[in-house]
Structures are given as structure tokens and as C-alpha cells.
């Protein structure tokens, strides 16, 4: 199917970009710790009090730019979100990669974030006025995955590529025909429990704003249900508490399963883009496609391991 590029290829590239960013910003990177390597390579720089995120998607500039502007505005309004570092000219573009710099947070491992806390944060988010900066319209959730299929033709065997292309087209038609009962507006775009962080002071913070935009709130409200189905991340009690704290039960809406099916496909994008360089991405991409083609809704998937 393709020639395997050693995993340290993409890691080495990201480390080189991190070193260049450190030199440009005049901050030390010798204590850098890789937090995650998936849709972003995220490095903590504890001594500098920063987190550096390097996007693996070459088309990430618009989304990262919006994430910086919106989170800065939300933080000024007192909303509990990650905060961009006070660095002019963000985001940076270095060697074709989009680089953003954020304030470092001291995080607590326990207790884990809850569905109730996520529901409260989303309720508070949607109560905000429209941001002063224009938001991209979340009108086609398939843009990234469709581009990944087209731009990395050697990441998939022909049969899988054909099936995935047809699946995207079929679900796009379903998306276009959906009738969303909730008002549209500012959405996080990837609002699930794994993007919540608890600080050592006990505050719950919402992170990973790369998909922020204007769109149907149901897209955010679906995420916790997708994470429970495919990853077992939330309990039934979490789902009940999420609905109670938010104030609406999405499980009563007949469109939920369609949104989950769409999310299952859109989430393949970073795996397709990194399949040549990451063994985990190759394995997980093949497994997810196998279970999707078999219509196996009970199959559990794996998230990227800590690098």
C-alpha cells in the first residue's frame, strides 16, 4: 500500500520546528515534553510557562487563527478556556506548519472531568454574545477528511478509499438534509470530556479550540455520545448529568445517530494524514474502517497513546 516512513520522521520534523520556534521566541526548549502527537504535536515547556502546538494538517491556518482570537476574547470575558500566550504575530507558520503558543497550565490528575461539568461549560459558552471576530461557518464537516483522502492517496488501499469516498458523499447528503432544532451560533467544534482539563486549583478548563466556528449546537452536544460509543469515555450517569446541566436531552432527537456516524468519518482525517509515519495511525485507521464497513456499532476504538 505504501512505504513506511519511520515514526521518528514526523516526530523529528516537529522537534526541529519546536527548536526553531524556541529560537525565534527566545525561550528554552531543552525541557520540552511531548504531550500528544495527533492532529497537533503539543509540547509543554514548563520553564517558559508555555505550550507549543504544531498542526499536522497543512491547511490548519484558518482554524488555528480563529482559535487564538476566540479564546483570547472568551478569557477576557471570564470563560474557562485555554489562553493564548501574549506573543505578537500568532499563529506562526514555520516550514509550512502552523504553530500556536499557549499559556502552560498546572493540571491535576484527579478527579477526572465529568459530563455535568461539560454541560455547564457548553451552556455558558452558548450564552456568550457573538464574538467580535468573524467566525468560519461550520457548513461542511467533511472538508478535512475529504482533503486528507485526496492529498494522501497512498494512505489507503483502493477498496477502502472507494468505500470512504462513497460514505462521505452519502453522509454529506444526510447532513444537508438535517433539521436542527437548536439555534445555531458559536460552537467549540470538538466538545467532549477528553478536551476538559482540571487545574491544580480545581478549575475546569475547555481546551483544543481548533474547530471553533459558527454552526449547529447539536454538533457539540453529540460529541460526548460519540466518545461513549467508540471509546467508553463517558458513563451513562455522565450522559444523564450532561443533559441535565446543559438543559436539553439530545437523545430525544432522531438526528443523533446520523451526527455520530458523521463524526466517526470526520475523525479519520488525522489518521489518514499520519498513516505513513505512525504505526498506531496505520493500525487504527485500518481497524476503524473495517468496523465501519461491517456496521459494527459496538466496536471500541483506541485514542492515540501518550508519545
Amino acid at each position: 500500500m505504501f512505504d513506511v516512513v519511520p515514526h521518528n520522521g514526523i516526530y523529528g520534523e516537529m522537534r526541529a520546528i519546536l527548536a526553531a520556534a524556541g529560537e525565534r521566541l527566545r525561550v528554552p526548549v531543552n525541557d520540552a515534553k511531548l504531550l500528544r502527537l495527533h492532529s497537533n504535536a503539543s509540547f509543554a515547556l514548563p520553564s517558559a510557562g508555555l505550550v507549543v502546538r504544531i498542526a499536522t494538517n497543512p491547511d490548519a491556518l484558518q482554524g488555528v487563527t480563529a482559535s487564538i482570537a476566540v479564546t483570547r476574547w472568551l478569557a477576557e470575558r471570564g470563560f474557562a478556556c485555554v489562553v493564548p500566550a501574549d506573543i505578537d504575530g500568532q499563529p506562526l507558520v514555520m516550514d509550512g506548519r502552523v504553530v500556536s503558543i499557549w499559556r502552560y497550565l498546572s493540571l491535576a490528575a484527579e478527579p477526572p472531568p465529568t459530563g455535568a461539568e461539560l454541560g455547564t461549560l457548553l451552556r455558558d459558552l452558548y450564552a456568550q454574545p457573538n464574538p467580535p471576530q468573524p467566525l468560519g461557518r461550520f457548513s461542511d464537516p467533511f472538508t478535512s477528511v475529504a482533503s486528507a483522502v485526496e492529498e494522501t492517496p497512498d494512505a489507503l488501499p483502493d477498496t477502502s478509499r472507494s468505500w470512504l469516498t462513497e460514505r462521505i458523499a452519502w453522509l454529506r447528503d444526510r447532513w444537508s438534509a438535517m433539521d436542527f432544532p437548536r439555534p445555531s451560533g458559536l460552537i467549540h467544534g470538538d466538545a467532549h470530556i477528553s478536551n476538559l482539563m482540571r487545574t491544580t486549583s480545581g478549575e475546569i478548563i475547555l481546551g483544543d479550540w481548533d474547530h471553533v466556528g459558527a454552526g449547529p449546537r447539536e454538533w457539540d452536544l453529540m460529541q460526548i455520545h460519540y466518545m461513549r460509543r467508540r471509546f467508553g469515555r463517558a458513563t451513562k450517569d455522565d450522559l444523564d448529568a450532561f443533559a441535565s446541566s446543559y438543559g436539553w436531552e439530545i437523545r430525544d432527537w432522531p438526528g443523533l445517530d446520523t451526527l455520530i456516524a458523521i463524526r466517526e468519518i470526520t475523525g479519520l482525517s488525522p489518521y489518514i494524514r499520519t498513516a505513513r509515519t505512525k504505526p498506531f495511525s496505520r493500525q487504527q485507521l485500518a481497524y476503524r474502517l473495517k468496523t465501519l464497513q461491517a456496521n459494527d456499532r459496538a466496536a471500541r476504538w483506541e485514542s492515540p497513546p501518550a508519545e
Side-chain angles (χ1 to χ4, degrees), residues 221-244:
L221 302 176
M222 165 275 298
Q223 303 286 339
I224 190 173
H225 296 274
Y226 160 71
M227 295 298 287
R228 172 170 167 79
R229 177 180 296 181
R230 287 307 188 185
F231 303 96
R233 292 283 174 80
T235 65
K236 183 181 182 301
D237 286 345
D238 275 319
L239 300 185
D240 295 342
F242 173 74
S244 177

mmCIF file of all heavy atoms in Angstrom, residues 221-244:
data_model
loop_
_atom_site.group_PDB
_atom_site.id
_atom_site.type_symbol
_atom_site.label_atom_id
_atom_site.label_comp_id
_atom_site.label_asym_id
_atom_site.label_seq_id
_atom_site.Cartn_x
_atom_site.Cartn_y
_atom_site.Cartn_z
ATOM 1 N N LEU A 221 -23.069 18.981 21.126
ATOM 2 C CA LEU A 221 -23.808 18.169 22.089
ATOM 3 C C LEU A 221 -23.728 16.681 21.756
ATOM 4 O O LEU A 221 -23.928 15.840 22.640
ATOM 5 C CB LEU A 221 -25.270 18.621 22.135
ATOM 6 C CG LEU A 221 -25.494 20.097 22.504
ATOM 7 C CD1 LEU A 221 -26.970 20.444 22.422
ATOM 8 C CD2 LEU A 221 -24.942 20.401 23.894
ATOM 9 N N MET A 222 -23.429 16.353 20.512
ATOM 10 C CA MET A 222 -23.270 14.958 20.102
ATOM 11 C C MET A 222 -21.970 14.336 20.575
ATOM 12 O O MET A 222 -21.863 13.122 20.776
ATOM 13 C CB MET A 222 -23.360 14.887 18.558
ATOM 14 C CG MET A 222 -22.871 13.621 17.908
ATOM 15 S SD MET A 222 -21.061 13.607 17.592
ATOM 16 C CE MET A 222 -20.883 14.982 16.477
ATOM 17 N N GLN A 223 -20.932 15.153 20.768
ATOM 18 C CA GLN A 223 -19.573 14.617 20.938
ATOM 19 C C GLN A 223 -19.451 13.644 22.109
ATOM 20 O O GLN A 223 -18.770 12.615 22.010
ATOM 21 C CB GLN A 223 -18.580 15.773 21.129
ATOM 22 C CG GLN A 223 -18.550 16.799 20.009
ATOM 23 C CD GLN A 223 -17.868 16.297 18.751
ATOM 24 O OE1 GLN A 223 -17.093 15.350 18.792
ATOM 25 N NE2 GLN A 223 -18.144 16.934 17.629
ATOM 26 N N ILE A 224 -20.069 13.938 23.226
ATOM 27 C CA ILE A 224 -19.946 13.065 24.392
ATOM 28 C C ILE A 224 -20.551 11.692 24.110
ATOM 29 O O ILE A 224 -20.073 10.659 24.605
ATOM 30 C CB ILE A 224 -20.590 13.714 25.642
ATOM 31 C CG1 ILE A 224 -20.245 12.903 26.893
ATOM 32 C CG2 ILE A 224 -22.077 13.897 25.483
ATOM 33 C CD1 ILE A 224 -20.707 13.573 28.192
ATOM 34 N N HIS A 225 -21.582 11.645 23.268
ATOM 35 C CA HIS A 225 -22.223 10.380 22.919
ATOM 36 C C HIS A 225 -21.345 9.581 21.956
ATOM 37 O O HIS A 225 -21.261 8.349 22.069
ATOM 38 C CB HIS A 225 -23.599 10.644 22.317
ATOM 39 C CG HIS A 225 -24.534 11.282 23.292
ATOM 40 N ND1 HIS A 225 -25.300 10.560 24.178
ATOM 41 C CD2 HIS A 225 -24.801 12.603 23.541
ATOM 42 C CE1 HIS A 225 -26.015 11.389 24.927
ATOM 43 N NE2 HIS A 225 -25.729 12.634 24.564
ATOM 44 N N TYR A 226 -20.700 10.262 21.037
ATOM 45 C CA TYR A 226 -19.718 9.608 20.159
ATOM 46 C C TYR A 226 -18.576 9.016 20.982
ATOM 47 O O TYR A 226 -18.158 7.868 20.765
ATOM 48 C CB TYR A 226 -19.199 10.630 19.152
ATOM 49 C CG TYR A 226 -17.882 10.279 18.502
ATOM 50 C CD1 TYR A 226 -17.778 9.251 17.571
ATOM 51 C CD2 TYR A 226 -16.719 11.001 18.813
ATOM 52 C CE1 TYR A 226 -16.562 8.941 16.964
ATOM 53 C CE2 TYR A 226 -15.510 10.704 18.217
ATOM 54 C CZ TYR A 226 -15.439 9.669 17.293
ATOM 55 O OH TYR A 226 -14.239 9.372 16.704
ATOM 56 N N MET A 227 -18.071 9.779 21.940
ATOM 57 C CA MET A 227 -16.953 9.302 22.756
ATOM 58 C C MET A 227 -17.359 8.107 23.620
ATOM 59 O O MET A 227 -16.563 7.193 23.841
ATOM 60 C CB MET A 227 -16.426 10.437 23.632
ATOM 61 C CG MET A 227 -15.800 11.587 22.853
ATOM 62 S SD MET A 227 -14.345 11.096 21.887
ATOM 63 C CE MET A 227 -13.150 10.870 23.192
ATOM 64 N N ARG A 228 -18.586 8.089 24.094
ATOM 65 C CA ARG A 228 -19.039 6.926 24.868
ATOM 66 C C ARG A 228 -19.147 5.699 23.972
ATOM 67 O O ARG A 228 -18.691 4.607 24.341
ATOM 68 C CB ARG A 228 -20.384 7.209 25.536
ATOM 69 C CG ARG A 228 -20.983 5.957 26.196
ATOM 70 C CD ARG A 228 -22.180 6.299 27.050
ATOM 71 N NE ARG A 228 -22.943 5.105 27.428
ATOM 72 C CZ ARG A 228 -22.595 4.261 28.402
ATOM 73 N NH1 ARG A 228 -21.496 4.465 29.087
ATOM 74 N NH2 ARG A 228 -23.345 3.218 28.681
ATOM 75 N N ARG A 229 -19.739 5.865 22.788
ATOM 76 C CA ARG A 229 -19.946 4.712 21.916
ATOM 77 C C ARG A 229 -18.639 4.100 21.460
ATOM 78 O O ARG A 229 -18.478 2.879 21.501
ATOM 79 C CB ARG A 229 -20.778 5.118 20.692
ATOM 80 C CG ARG A 229 -20.963 3.973 19.690
ATOM 81 C CD ARG A 229 -21.791 4.383 18.495
ATOM 82 N NE ARG A 229 -23.158 4.728 18.887
ATOM 83 C CZ ARG A 229 -24.098 5.105 18.013
ATOM 84 N NH1 ARG A 229 -23.801 5.198 16.721
ATOM 85 N NH2 ARG A 229 -25.315 5.390 18.434
ATOM 86 N N ARG A 230 -17.693 4.920 21.030
ATOM 87 C CA ARG A 230 -16.485 4.374 20.417
ATOM 88 C C ARG A 230 -15.310 4.219 21.377
ATOM 89 O O ARG A 230 -14.407 3.428 21.123
ATOM 90 C CB ARG A 230 -16.075 5.249 19.234
ATOM 91 C CG ARG A 230 -16.975 5.105 18.019
ATOM 92 C CD ARG A 230 -17.116 3.659 17.597
ATOM 93 N NE ARG A 230 -17.834 3.521 16.329
ATOM 94 C CZ ARG A 230 -18.156 2.347 15.805
ATOM 95 N NH1 ARG A 230 -17.859 1.225 16.439
ATOM 96 N NH2 ARG A 230 -18.796 2.300 14.652
ATOM 97 N N PHE A 231 -15.316 4.951 22.477
ATOM 98 C CA PHE A 231 -14.144 4.919 23.364
ATOM 99 C C PHE A 231 -14.492 4.601 24.823
ATOM 100 O O PHE A 231 -13.600 4.450 25.650
ATOM 101 C CB PHE A 231 -13.404 6.257 23.307
ATOM 102 C CG PHE A 231 -12.975 6.639 21.925
ATOM 103 C CD1 PHE A 231 -13.759 7.480 21.150
ATOM 104 C CD2 PHE A 231 -11.800 6.140 21.378
ATOM 105 C CE1 PHE A 231 -13.380 7.826 19.860
ATOM 106 C CE2 PHE A 231 -11.410 6.481 20.095
ATOM 107 C CZ PHE A 231 -12.204 7.323 19.331
ATOM 108 N N GLY A 232 -15.778 4.548 25.147
ATOM 109 C CA GLY A 232 -16.168 4.279 26.525
ATOM 110 C C GLY A 232 -15.753 5.362 27.486
ATOM 111 O O GLY A 232 -15.568 5.106 28.686
ATOM 112 N N ARG A 233 -15.620 6.605 26.997
ATOM 113 C CA ARG A 233 -15.069 7.681 27.829
ATOM 114 C C ARG A 233 -16.056 8.214 28.863
ATOM 115 O O ARG A 233 -15.642 8.760 29.873
ATOM 116 C CB ARG A 233 -14.627 8.840 26.926
ATOM 117 C CG ARG A 233 -13.446 8.516 26.072
ATOM 118 C CD ARG A 233 -12.139 8.557 26.881
ATOM 119 N NE ARG A 233 -11.038 8.096 26.066
ATOM 120 C CZ ARG A 233 -10.426 8.851 25.166
ATOM 121 N NH1 ARG A 233 -10.804 10.092 24.981
ATOM 122 N NH2 ARG A 233 -9.450 8.345 24.450
ATOM 123 N N ALA A 234 -17.342 8.129 28.561
ATOM 124 C CA ALA A 234 -18.341 8.672 29.479
ATOM 125 C C ALA A 234 -19.252 7.544 29.943
ATOM 126 O O ALA A 234 -19.532 6.604 29.194
ATOM 127 C CB ALA A 234 -19.153 9.762 28.787
ATOM 128 N N THR A 235 -19.721 7.633 31.180
ATOM 129 C CA THR A 235 -20.670 6.661 31.708
ATOM 130 C C THR A 235 -22.096 7.107 31.385
ATOM 131 O O THR A 235 -22.325 8.252 30.960
ATOM 132 C CB THR A 235 -20.521 6.536 33.224
ATOM 133 O OG1 THR A 235 -20.896 7.797 33.832
ATOM 134 C CG2 THR A 235 -19.084 6.194 33.603
ATOM 135 N N LYS A 236 -23.063 6.231 31.605
ATOM 136 C CA LYS A 236 -24.456 6.629 31.427
ATOM 137 C C LYS A 236 -24.806 7.762 32.386
ATOM 138 O O LYS A 236 -25.557 8.686 32.030
ATOM 139 C CB LYS A 236 -25.389 5.443 31.650
ATOM 140 C CG LYS A 236 -26.864 5.798 31.399
ATOM 141 C CD LYS A 236 -27.763 4.626 31.654
ATOM 142 C CE LYS A 236 -29.226 5.011 31.355
ATOM 143 N NZ LYS A 236 -29.683 6.158 32.184
ATOM 144 N N ASP A 237 -24.259 7.703 33.595
ATOM 145 C CA ASP A 237 -24.500 8.798 34.545
ATOM 146 C C ASP A 237 -23.951 10.113 34.001
ATOM 147 O O ASP A 237 -24.551 11.181 34.213
ATOM 148 C CB ASP A 237 -23.863 8.480 35.891
ATOM 149 C CG ASP A 237 -24.634 7.410 36.663
ATOM 150 O OD1 ASP A 237 -25.791 7.133 36.294
ATOM 151 O OD2 ASP A 237 -24.058 6.862 37.619
ATOM 152 N N ASP A 238 -22.785 10.052 33.320
ATOM 153 C CA ASP A 238 -22.235 11.262 32.698
ATOM 154 C C ASP A 238 -23.195 11.818 31.657
ATOM 155 O O ASP A 238 -23.402 13.037 31.567
ATOM 156 C CB ASP A 238 -20.890 10.956 32.035
ATOM 157 C CG ASP A 238 -19.714 11.031 32.988
ATOM 158 O OD1 ASP A 238 -19.696 11.955 33.823
ATOM 159 O OD2 ASP A 238 -18.816 10.184 32.893
ATOM 160 N N LEU A 239 -23.760 10.930 30.827
ATOM 161 C CA LEU A 239 -24.689 11.381 29.791
ATOM 162 C C LEU A 239 -25.921 12.025 30.411
ATOM 163 O O LEU A 239 -26.389 13.072 29.932
ATOM 164 C CB LEU A 239 -25.103 10.210 28.899
ATOM 165 C CG LEU A 239 -23.995 9.472 28.140
ATOM 166 C CD1 LEU A 239 -24.600 8.429 27.209
ATOM 167 C CD2 LEU A 239 -23.116 10.441 27.353
ATOM 168 N N ASP A 240 -26.446 11.401 31.462
ATOM 169 C CA ASP A 240 -27.627 11.966 32.128
ATOM 170 C C ASP A 240 -27.311 13.319 32.762
ATOM 171 O O ASP A 240 -28.088 14.278 32.640
ATOM 172 C CB ASP A 240 -28.134 11.004 33.209
ATOM 173 C CG ASP A 240 -28.657 9.690 32.637
ATOM 174 O OD1 ASP A 240 -28.954 9.644 31.424
ATOM 175 O OD2 ASP A 240 -28.745 8.713 33.405
ATOM 176 N N ALA A 241 -26.151 13.408 33.431
ATOM 177 C CA ALA A 241 -25.765 14.656 34.083
ATOM 178 C C ALA A 241 -25.445 15.739 33.053
ATOM 179 O O ALA A 241 -25.711 16.927 33.297
ATOM 180 C CB ALA A 241 -24.561 14.422 34.987
ATOM 181 N N PHE A 242 -24.873 15.332 31.927
ATOM 182 C CA PHE A 242 -24.585 16.277 30.846
ATOM 183 C C PHE A 242 -25.878 16.927 30.361
ATOM 184 O O PHE A 242 -25.974 18.161 30.238
ATOM 185 C CB PHE A 242 -23.891 15.541 29.703
ATOM 186 C CG PHE A 242 -23.692 16.358 28.456
ATOM 187 C CD1 PHE A 242 -22.732 17.350 28.396
ATOM 188 C CD2 PHE A 242 -24.470 16.120 27.334
ATOM 189 C CE1 PHE A 242 -22.549 18.104 27.238
ATOM 190 C CE2 PHE A 242 -24.292 16.869 26.175
ATOM 191 C CZ PHE A 242 -23.332 17.852 26.127
ATOM 192 N N ALA A 243 -26.888 16.111 30.081
ATOM 193 C CA ALA A 243 -28.165 16.649 29.602
ATOM 194 C C ALA A 243 -28.819 17.536 30.658
ATOM 195 O O ALA A 243 -29.376 18.600 30.341
ATOM 196 C CB ALA A 243 -29.098 15.499 29.227
ATOM 197 N N SER A 244 -28.739 17.116 31.910
ATOM 198 C CA SER A 244 -29.367 17.882 32.981
ATOM 199 C C SER A 244 -28.695 19.235 33.166
ATOM 200 O O SER A 244 -29.367 20.267 33.304
ATOM 201 C CB SER A 244 -29.315 17.081 34.290
ATOM 202 O OG SER A 244 -29.864 17.827 35.350
#
